[in-house]
Amino acid sequence: MEEVPAAEEISIGDNTNRRNIVRDLEGAGFSLDEFASLLSKYDYNFKPGDVVNGTVFALESKGAMIDIGAKTAAFMPMPEVSINRVEGLSDVLEPGEVREFFILSEENEDGQLTLSIRRIEYQRAWERVRQLQKEDATIYSEVFATNRGGALVRVEGLRGFIPGSHISTRKAKEELVSDFLPLKFLEVDEERNRLVLSHRRALVERKMNRLEVGEVVIGTVRGIKPYGAFIDIGGVSGLLHISEISHEHIETPHTVLNVNDQMKVMIIDLDAERGRISLSTKALEPEPGDMLTDPQKVFDKAEEMAARYKQMLLEQAEEGEELTMGVTFE
């Protein structure tokens, strides 16, 4: 027959008045020995990784004491109180509050478990950003620091990184701190703890919503590479590839363009998924080679040539539709 522990052997908890418990138990119609037997029968098997409900009953300088129904009060260290930076426990918790806690470790030598709220928030934050990425959502986040590679932000409490190549602004990187930027997700990898975002792609998408293929826009040359020129068209950058400058062969874009040149270009492709805008002056040439000999003529007749380009696209679309309608199936 199992031996019931004596009343003096029962651990009630560090912050519980033994006499009050004895009085309450006797008033309820059973003894302390019987209560010990019930504790043994219904003792929960808490293990790391479990999420349990608990009641906050004490806030201390280094953490909080939590009642989760174990024989000894559980402890939550200050660093585990939130995924966000907090000044004190009272910013997040208050005595008597009931909420969920994550069990971090096995019982220590005193029979005490270590708990965390931060771990629950961390798991839910990754679930949230995965959903936002799936929806291809645009989010806004504040830059809290910059480094040589880019800028740092927080998304749902997680640290995110914006590579320098995906920051689209005329400001110096250091001046971005405290700015709220529209962002798109590039990489969401919980296993590697990598959250990478793009400011450029968010701006391009916003701009793309107001642009269309065949439209003529005014831009400024911001950079020239061997393969083409980057043109600023109202806050976003489009690529004028070397093959799209003129019908005539060009050795290097530098022979035709200079940084800070203002010019008219036509949009020939909008790739929202990759955040790219492709431009052309070749399609605006009244005669092949005009961009080399008389660029102003090209700009003066840009709208007229663009209208012809749109008409050509429309005719090609209609022709393709007719061909599709003419297909018969055996």
Side-chain angles (χ1 to χ4, degrees):
M1 181 175 178
E2 185 178 356
E3 183 179 352
V4 177
E8 59 271 14
E9 295 175 344
I10 302 172
S11 174
I12 301 299
D14 298 336
N15 296 293
T16 304
N17 186 299
R18 177 185 173 87
R19 284 181 299 179
N20 288 342
I21 288 182
V22 171
R23 185 190 63 228
D24 292 342
L25 290 174
E26 289 174 346
F30 54 91
S31 69
L32 194 58
D33 287 346
E34 291 171 328
F35 180 60
S37 179
L38 287 173
L39 273 178
S40 176
K41 180 179 179 180
Y42 292 104
D43 191 22
Y44 291 102
N45 181 25
F46 297 109
K47 60 184 184 296
D50 285 349
V51 175
V52 297
N53 285 326
T55 303
V56 180
F57 68 82
L59 302 181
E60 302 179 352
S61 59
K62 294 184 179 180
M65 304 300 295
I66 314 294
D67 177 12
I68 60 171
K71 293 180 182 179
T72 303
F75 179 69
M76 183 174 63
M78 179 68 179
E80 295 297 328
V81 72
S82 177
I83 197 173
N84 298 303
R85 186 175 300 173
V86 296
E87 295 297 325
L89 287 170
S90 58
D91 292 343
V92 180
L93 300 172
E94 59 182 35
E97 178 181 356
V98 178
R99 62 179 301 162
E100 289 183 327
F101 296 90
F102 183 94
I103 298 179
L104 276 180
S105 65
E106 300 275 3
E107 292 181 352
N108 63 15
E109 58 216 22
D110 296 323
Q112 189 175 66
L113 292 162
T114 302
L115 306 180
S116 173
I117 294 174
R118 186 184 68 84
R119 187 64 63 89
I120 294 176
E121 293 179 339
Y122 182 82
Q123 292 174 344
R124 290 175 180 172
W126 280 108
E127 290 173 4
R128 177 63 177 153
V129 295
R130 281 195 294 269
Q131 182 61 33
L132 289 170
Q133 182 193 37
K134 183 178 180 181
E135 296 170 0
D136 195 27
T138 298
I139 62 166
Y140 285 80
S141 188
E142 181 181 11
V143 176
F144 69 86
T146 61
N147 56 31
R148 184 180 299 177
L152 299 173
V153 295
R154 286 192 175 87
V155 181
E156 299 291 323
L158 301 172
R159 176 178 289 199
F161 177 65
I162 313 170
S165 60
H166 280 270
I167 297 174
S168 185
T169 176
R170 296 180 186 178
K171 280 187 175 182
K173 268 190 306 187
E174 296 74 18
E175 297 176 8
L176 291 174
V177 175
S178 297
D179 281 3
F180 280 84
L181 303 179
L183 302 168
K184 289 292 226 181
F185 291 94
L186 291 179
E187 184 178 354
V188 175
D189 189 338
E190 181 178 359
E191 288 186 5
R192 299 169 62 196
N193 196 30
R194 282 177 58 85
L195 181 57
V196 186
L197 305 112
S198 173
H199 175 230
R200 177 173 58 80
R201 190 179 159 210
L203 290 182
V204 170
E205 181 182 88
R206 181 192 295 175
K207 187 71 177 178
M208 282 182 178
N209 291 335
R210 302 192 296 269
L211 297 175
E212 62 180 35
V213 172
E215 181 180 356
V216 173
V217 293
I218 297 174
T220 303
V221 179
R222 293 301 180 196
I224 300 177
K225 302 291 183 181
Y227 53 84
F230 289 98
I231 315 294
D232 184 319
I233 53 172
V236 294
S237 182
L239 176 63
L240 176 60
H241 194 270
I242 188 171
S243 64
E244 287 296 332
I245 294 175
S246 175
H247 285 85
E248 294 292 330
H249 177 71
I250 297 174
E251 291 292 337
T252 171
H254 286 91
T255 60
V256 184
L257 306 171
N258 297 296
V259 173
N260 294 326
D261 280 354
Q262 279 204 329
M263 58 191 298
K264 287 184 178 180
V265 290
M266 187 177 73
I267 299 168
I268 57 173
D269 187 55
L270 295 168
D271 188 341
E273 184 174 341
R274 299 169 70 184
R276 294 184 180 178
I277 301 174
S278 299
L279 307 171
S280 176
T281 50
K282 172 181 175 178
L284 299 178
E285 288 184 319
E287 297 294 335
D290 279 345
M291 271 301 294
L292 282 67
T293 59
D294 192 357
Q296 191 57 49
K297 177 182 176 183
V298 177
F299 303 151
D300 290 343
K301 291 186 173 291
E303 284 74 16
E304 179 184 334
M305 296 303 296
R308 293 184 188 179
Y309 183 84
K310 287 182 180 179
Q311 183 61 35
M312 179 191 69
L313 292 179
L314 181 61
E315 291 173 355
Q316 288 178 347
E318 290 175 346
E319 182 179 341
E321 186 176 334
E322 289 175 0
L323 288 173
T324 302
M325 292 175 65
V327 173
T328 58
F329 298 92
E330 296 286 335

